[in-house]
């Protein structure tokens, strides 16, 4: 058993860390304030090859699952909102195209993403959140087109996406078997971006409504087989789970670093607060949580790349633990900063807000517990 990254992974980690420290972290507070998407930084990330990670080698992509997780962790450490957009594009939205796309679809969309395109994954609807099979967006065939009608909510990258993967049902009475997946490009007739949510955190990444009003999608943009959309959606979510765990680890690392530095600096009762046992115990608990979260996350990524399969239990365990550990770590980081931690002058205030969604999207903590328990009880 080897707990070390290999030399190539270490060099990659150092390169991304350097980029994050110079190009991302110094701007994160401003992006949080303005809620603007950093298109220029995404272009630089693409130039660096970060949008080729997780893409097939035959298209010039590179990097195994663990390398991708390292990138997500580092970007999240600098700006979790940008990382949310990055993960949505490269994993959640592109996995269905990489895994189920036709050659024509891959030829068109993979090189586009590698140049820094933004992509959305449009599944959630007002009445279909955790219960994703309950979607009500409809489609019907009209010659060489599919006609989509309905709307999606809370869609990351909605405002910026160049194209998106979305899901609609042909016949609700068929349940999940009636659902198909489609690729919709910005500018297609009948597609528009609706209301943009004002969120607690992750400000640089938009979360919007998407509206399909007799949206005409060319038949060639059907993704995978008709009627297989539900399993395509679940596979994308299952594959992406480890990335959300990595987001949480990155946010938690930033909160931990800030808290330790502050505790060594701030003096009360004549000594640095790091010398008070109450603070020391918090720091010890944060260090244990952070280590355990990272180990579970790396193990899940390692399992995916060595088995070549998407297991359910270990990524769910990693997401559940890492996101809830990040919650505890951010909470303690604010506590260690006292009143200053409640102000926008200190990074822990933003991290505390950004962290919260990791326990909700791509399967709430309750859904992760359900997945883990089903795997355990089904194995008996
Ligand atoms: C900022 C943001 C970005 C997002 N990005 C995307 C995106 O890019 N694409 C996309 O498709 N969606 C996206 N979502 C949607 C997100 O995935 C859903 O919000 C999430 O899956 C939960 O669904 P819901 O909000 O409808 O909550 P609900 O499903 O209504 O859940 C409400 C509560 O009930 C609990 N619950 C539900 N069912 C059960 C059960 N069987 N047992 C126990 N507890 C249960 C849940 O755990 C939760 O605590 C995003 C959401 C946000 C806020």
């Amino acid at each position: 058993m080897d707990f070390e990254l290999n030399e190539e992974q270490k060099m990659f980690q150092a390169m991304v860390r350097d980029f994050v420290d110079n190009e991302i972290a110094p701007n994160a507070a401003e992006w949080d304030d303005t809620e603007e998407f950093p298109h220029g930084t995404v272009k630089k990330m693409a130039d660096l090859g970060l949008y080729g990670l997780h893409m097939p080698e035959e298209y010039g992509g590179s990097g195994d699952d663990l390398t991708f997780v390292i990138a997500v962790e580092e970007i999240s450490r600098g700006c979790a909102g940008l990382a949310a957009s990055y993960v949505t594009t490269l994993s959640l939205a592109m996995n269905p195209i990489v895994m189920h796309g036709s050659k024509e679809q891959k030829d068109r969309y993979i090189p586009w993403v590698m140049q820094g395109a933004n992509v959305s994954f449009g599944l959630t609807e007002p009445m279909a959140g955790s219960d994703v099979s309950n979607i009500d967006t409809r489609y019907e065939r009209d010659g060489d087109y599919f006609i989509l009608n309905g709307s999606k909510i809370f869609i990351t990258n909605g405002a910026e996406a160049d194209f998106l993967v979305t899901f609609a049902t042909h016949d609700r009475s068929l349940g999940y078997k009636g659902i198909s997946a489609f690729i919709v490009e910005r500018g297609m007739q009948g597609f528009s971006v609706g209301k943009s949510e004002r969120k607690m955190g992750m400000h640089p990444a938009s979360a919007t409504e998407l509206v399909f009003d007799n949206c005409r999608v060319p038949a060639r943009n059907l993704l995978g087989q008709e009627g297989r959309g539900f399993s395509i959606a679940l596979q994308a979510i299952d594959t992406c789970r480890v990335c959300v765990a990595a987001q949480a680890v990155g946010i938690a690392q930033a909160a931990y670093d800030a808290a330790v530095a502050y505790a060594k600096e701030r003096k009360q009762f004549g000594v640095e607060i790091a010398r008070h046992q109450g603070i020391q115990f918090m720091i010890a608990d944060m260090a244990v949580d952070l280590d355990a979260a990272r180990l579970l996350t790396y193990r899940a990524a390692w399992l995916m790349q060595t088995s070549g399969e998407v297991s359910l239990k270990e990524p769910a365990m990693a997401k559940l633990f890492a996101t809830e550990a990040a919650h505890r770590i951010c909470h303690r980081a604010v506590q260690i900063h006292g009143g200053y931690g409640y102000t926008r002058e200190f990074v822990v205030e933003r991290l505390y807000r950004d962290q919260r969604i990791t326990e909700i999207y791509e399967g709430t903590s309750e859904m992760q517990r359900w997945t883990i328990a089903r795997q355990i009880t089904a194995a008996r």
Side-chain angles (χ1 to χ4, degrees):
M1 188 175 280
D2 187 354
F3 287 98
E4 282 286 305
L5 299 177
N6 65 33
E7 282 312 308
E8 209 177 315
Q9 288 161 340
K10 281 185 197 166
M11 277 168 57
F12 174 79
Q13 186 183 47
M15 185 273 290
V16 184
R17 199 167 273 175
D18 194 51
F19 179 81
V20 168
D21 287 342
N22 289 303
E23 301 282 347
I24 294 180
N27 300 307
E30 188 190 327
W31 298 335
D32 179 59
D33 266 354
T34 60
E35 307 203 7
E36 273 175 25
F37 187 77
H39 289 282
T41 306
V42 166
K43 176 79 180 67
K44 287 183 190 172
M45 289 164 71
D47 290 346
L48 207 61
L50 292 176
Y51 277 73
L53 291 179
H54 220 226
M55 291 297 116
E57 275 178 25
E58 62 265 35
Y59 288 88
S62 62
D64 50 28
D65 289 306
L66 191 48
T67 307
F68 183 53
V69 154
I70 292 166
V72 173
E73 180 188 333
E74 287 301 323
I75 297 164
S76 305
R77 185 178 60 78
C79 177
L82 177 55
S85 164
Y86 178 73
V87 163
T88 299
T89 290
L90 284 173
S91 181
L92 193 58
M94 284 307 290
N95 273 338
I97 294 177
V98 170
M99 289 181 184
H100 302 280
S102 63
K103 178 158 182 341
E104 188 190 356
Q105 290 168 347
K106 289 183 189 176
D107 286 352
R108 175 161 175 77
Y109 297 110
I110 294 174
W112 198 354
V113 160
M114 289 177 64
Q115 287 163 19
N118 291 301
V119 195
S120 281
F121 177 86
L123 180 62
T124 302
E125 298 182 4
M127 296 310 291
S130 300
D131 182 7
V132 291
S133 66
N134 197 35
I135 61 170
D136 193 33
T137 297
R138 313 290 177 106
Y139 76 88
E140 57 190 45
R141 183 92 190 218
D142 178 18
D144 288 341
Y145 288 86
F146 287 100
I147 311 297
L148 270 60
N149 276 294
S151 63
K152 305 286 175 180
I153 54 166
F154 297 155
I155 305 305
T156 301
N157 286 343
E160 298 83 24
D162 298 289
F163 60 95
L164 60 119
V165 171
T166 197
F167 303 86
T169 175
H170 177 52
D171 178 353
R172 289 199 71 186
S173 70
L174 294 175
Y176 70 90
K177 290 182 183 159
I179 298 173
S180 297
F182 301 91
I183 305 172
V184 177
E185 292 186 19
R186 177 179 289 273
M188 278 183 178
Q189 188 186 327
F191 169 69
S192 61
V193 178
K195 177 183 166 222
S196 198
E197 297 296 338
R198 300 217 56 211
K199 307 190 295 327
M200 178 191 289
M202 300 291 201
H203 287 169
S206 62
T208 73
E209 186 187 16
L210 303 178
V211 181
F212 305 96
D213 180 10
N214 285 319
C215 174
R216 293 179 73 75
V217 181
R220 64 174 182 278
N221 280 28
L222 172 74
L223 182 57
Q225 288 171 17
E226 199 172 349
R228 299 286 296 156
F230 183 70
S231 69
I232 292 173
L234 288 194
Q235 190 182 35
I237 293 167
D238 293 342
T239 312
C240 192
R241 207 161 269 155
V242 67
C243 299
V244 183
Q247 282 178 39
V249 173
I251 296 168
Q253 180 71 57
Y256 171 84
D257 290 344
V260 171
Y262 187 81
K264 286 160 77 172
E265 186 101 346
R266 171 77 171 165
K267 287 189 177 159
Q268 286 294 282
F269 298 96
V271 293
E272 294 82 19
I273 59 171
R275 291 173 64 183
H276 298 305
Q277 196 177 51
I279 299 289
Q280 288 175 348
F281 280 11
M282 278 198 264
I283 289 173
D285 286 342
M286 291 161 83
V288 174
D289 259 345
L290 182 55
D291 234 20
R294 182 173 284 118
L295 286 169
L296 279 175
T297 303
Y298 284 16
R299 181 188 68 167
W302 174 82
L303 267 174
M304 271 166 74
Q305 81 188 31
T306 49
S307 72
E309 286 173 13
V310 184
S311 59
L312 289 178
K313 190 174 81 182
E314 290 80 8
M317 289 167 93
K319 187 198 184 262
L320 174 64
F321 187 85
T323 60
E324 295 195 348
H327 183 136
R328 294 189 290 273
I329 291 168
C330 290
H331 178 91
R332 288 181 172 127
V334 170
Q335 196 68 18
I336 287 172
H337 279 71
Y340 296 99
Y342 198 67
T343 72
R344 296 213 169 181
E345 290 300 306
F346 286 80
V347 68
V348 291
E349 183 270 343
R350 169 166 52 83
L351 297 168
Y352 185 83
R353 288 184 285 112
D354 285 349
Q355 174 282 325
R356 195 63 183 83
I357 189 62
T358 63
E359 294 170 84
I360 295 171
Y361 62 15
E362 290 179 49
T364 61
S365 287
E366 292 71 36
M367 292 300 105
Q368 305 310 318
R369 286 188 169 88
W370 189 26
T371 300
I372 296 162
R374 269 185 312 174
Q375 293 298 305
I376 294 167
T377 52
R380 290 229 171 104

